[in-house]
Amino acid sequence: MSLVAHSLDVIRRYQSSSGAYPASPSFSAYQGFSWLRDGAFIAEGVSRHGDADGAAAFHRWSAGVIADRAGQVESLVSREGPIPPGDMLPTRFTLDGLNGDDGWWDFQLDGYGTWLWALAEHTRRHGAVPETEKGVRTAARYLSAFWALPCYDWWEEHVEQRHVATLGSIHAGLRAARALGVLSPAEGTAAAEAVAGIEALVSAEGVVDGRLRKWLGSDAVDGSLLACVEPFGLYPADHPVGAATVAEVERQLARDGGVYRYLKDTFYGGGRWVLLAGFLGWNHARAGRPEEARRYLDWMAAQATPSGDLPEQVSDLPLAPEYEQEWLDRWGTVATPLLWSHGMYLILADELGVSA
Ligand code: BGC
């Protein structure tokens, strides 16, 4: 079976009857939970390869869990004074759409933006997904109100910072919400103001040495910044800042086809992430460099287990090997299969015309 076919199969096999995609079916710390960030890219992968029903089921489920929290969003918006991060909407949900009762690094805004972006992509490709309107409006209201707050990043770290990749995800999500055409005039105006605010903030404080920075004030790069170029287009590939960001992420973080999250990463010893090779390949493909893109696709495929499953990261060239054992003791072996890795493989394969 090709890795495209296996990826579609793994994602379908583990999709819950609720529509939720579990991040990883068997990994101790993720089991039983679905993240909007992971799910949005997984849905984008299967939506591109003809599983319109599976993607739509995920989008309906996401819209439902967000709409269920419309009251919470209203009360957050009308609250005065600083709000503790733990009071904001959750980062991950049980497969039945509940909050879950074991503490997590809650308050991450990017997933809500990425979900809106993925829903709009799917809608453009396959038509509107019924029963998503209230979820779209709730997510847009939430992001328009809170986009400027610091929160945890894609890697669920540094809640005290404003992360440029998070801002890029929100920027794409709010533009998508407007394009979906379901916002009220007031919601549309608030979303447009937030989009303009993000652009102004990132151009004033999010760029260093002509490329994007990990968080406002940091000089580091981060693999998640790739998404600010392709697919989110905060700075497109033909803008000098977009081109310089991809080039600098590749220079600092790519090694032999794999991509590190950031140089100080210690999670499982800081290995190379399969899904980030997908983002870098995607950027090369869109910038008209298919051979470079193909190198990343091939590296991703080479990380599959004998049964074809893709892990979250590979530990053969770790940045901080002394930290690996600690994570093995805590959570067991690296999450495999990680459905987001398979989703990214599907996206990059589609960019390169590789089908099942
Ligand atoms: C990663 C997140 C991801 C989550 C579920 C975490 O370890 O840092 O980016 O969303 O796992 O896959």
Side-chain angles (χ1 to χ4, degrees), residues 23 30 35 37-38 154-156 261 267 273 312 338 340:
Y30 305 168
W35 275 251
R37 169 176 48 246
D38 299 44
W154 277 37
W155 317 128
E156 318 194 296
R261 298 196 298 181
F267 184 52
W273 278 51
E312 180 181 66
L338 187 85
W340 186 8

Side-chain angles (χ1 to χ4, degrees), residues 14-22 30-35 57-58 60-66 68-69 90 92-100:
Y14 293 116
Q15 183 168 22
S16 160
S17 55
S18 67
Y21 290 123
Y30 305 168
Q31 205 171 17
F33 284 93
S34 180
W35 275 251
F58 170 74
R60 259 199 312 281
W61 174 81
S62 305
V65 299
I66 297 169
D68 284 348
R69 289 161 179 81
R92 62 180 201 166
F93 304 90
T94 66
L95 305 183
D96 292 333
L98 303 176
N99 284 15

Side-chain angles (χ1 to χ4, degrees), residues 165-178:
T166 296
L167 291 166
S169 311
I170 300 169
H171 183 262
L174 288 174
R175 282 182 297 138
R178 295 189 74 211

